[in-house]
Amino acid sequence: MTRAKARHELAKDVLYILVGVALAIFLSSGGFIDLIVRALGGQELASFAAGVFFTSAFTIAPASVALAHIGAHANILTVSLWGALGAMCGDLLLFLFIRDKFSKDLKEAFKPSLAKHIVSSFHIGFMKWLAPLIGAVIIASPLPDELGLALMGISKTKLFVLLPVSFVMNVIGVYAVVSFAQML
């Protein structure tokens, strides 16, 4: 990919994120979240749906607003658990896509020997456990999950490890977002 094309793709990504922020502002001010909650039949399903979108850089802003709004009218633990379950499902989809694609893109972006060295460093020594740990912290943070999932993917984290880690870290992340919104 040429430098100009990479800049164009980056500009598109920034535009998508800004559209997500604008959508979040629109949803929070127009009463649409209440309408969506009623349409989905309750706060649990709405929390789950918002949780699915809580994982991506492009949808984290509207999902955070939705979870905060739902949490203002429901039990924070219920919203956190259902939102985290949805986020875990979203993480699973992203992980299955990123795990192979990111490693392939990394290999293509660098010289073959450098890419091989970078990818193989995630399979030995302290990086074998440090990369998934950093990935888990990123999943719990308000940062988009793609980077954390990419770290877990190239370190060959197994699904039976990823799913409970994703769930627990997303419970922490959703709980933090909802709690912070309630403090405001």
Side-chain angles (χ1 to χ4, degrees), residues 104-179:
K104 181 182 171 212
D105 290 346
L106 187 64
K107 288 177 185 174
E108 289 177 6
F110 297 103
K111 294 180 188 175
S113 61
L114 178 60
K116 184 178 178 184
H117 175 71
I118 291 170
V119 171
S120 67
S121 70
F122 284 95
H123 303 126
I124 57 171
F126 78 98
M127 284 302 288
K128 188 172 187 168
W129 61 266
L130 184 62
L133 180 65
I134 293 169
V137 170
I138 291 170
I139 289 172
S141 76
L143 297 170
D145 291 358
E146 287 100 341
L147 178 59
L149 292 169
L151 284 172
M152 295 176 102
I154 61 176
S155 63
K156 301 291 186 197
T157 301
K158 303 288 185 212
L159 280 179
F160 72 87
V161 173
L162 172 76
L163 294 177
V165 167
S166 171
F167 179 75
V168 169
M169 299 314 263
N170 278 305
V171 167
I172 294 167
V174 171
Y175 189 88
V177 165
V178 175
S179 295

Side-chain angles (χ1 to χ4, degrees), residues 62-133:
S64 296
V65 169
L67 288 166
H69 183 80
I70 296 165
H73 305 290
N75 180 299
I76 189 171
L77 188 57
T78 301
V79 173
S80 298
L81 291 172
W82 281 98
L85 186 61
M88 181 188 73
C89 291
D91 282 345
L92 176 61
L93 292 172
L94 286 172
F95 181 75
L96 293 173
F97 174 71
I98 288 174
R99 175 179 58 186
D100 299 324
K101 184 174 181 344
F102 186 75
S103 292
K104 181 182 171 212
D105 290 346
L106 187 64
K107 288 177 185 174
E108 289 177 6
F110 297 103
K111 294 180 188 175
S113 61
L114 178 60
K116 184 178 178 184
H117 175 71
I118 291 170
V119 171
S120 67
S121 70
F122 284 95
H123 303 126
I124 57 171
F126 78 98
M127 284 302 288
K128 188 172 187 168
W129 61 266
L130 184 62
L133 180 65

Side-chain angles (χ1 to χ4, degrees), residues 41-61:
Q43 296 155 337
E44 292 85 4
L45 192 54
S47 296
F48 178 86
V52 170
F53 294 103
F54 189 67
T55 61
S56 175
F58 304 114
T59 57
I60 195 167

Side-chain angles (χ1 to χ4, degrees), residues 31-53:
F32 291 103
I33 294 173
D34 290 326
L35 182 66
I36 293 168
V37 170
R38 283 193 297 277
L40 290 175
Q43 296 155 337
E44 292 85 4
L45 192 54
S47 296
F48 178 86
V52 170
F53 294 103

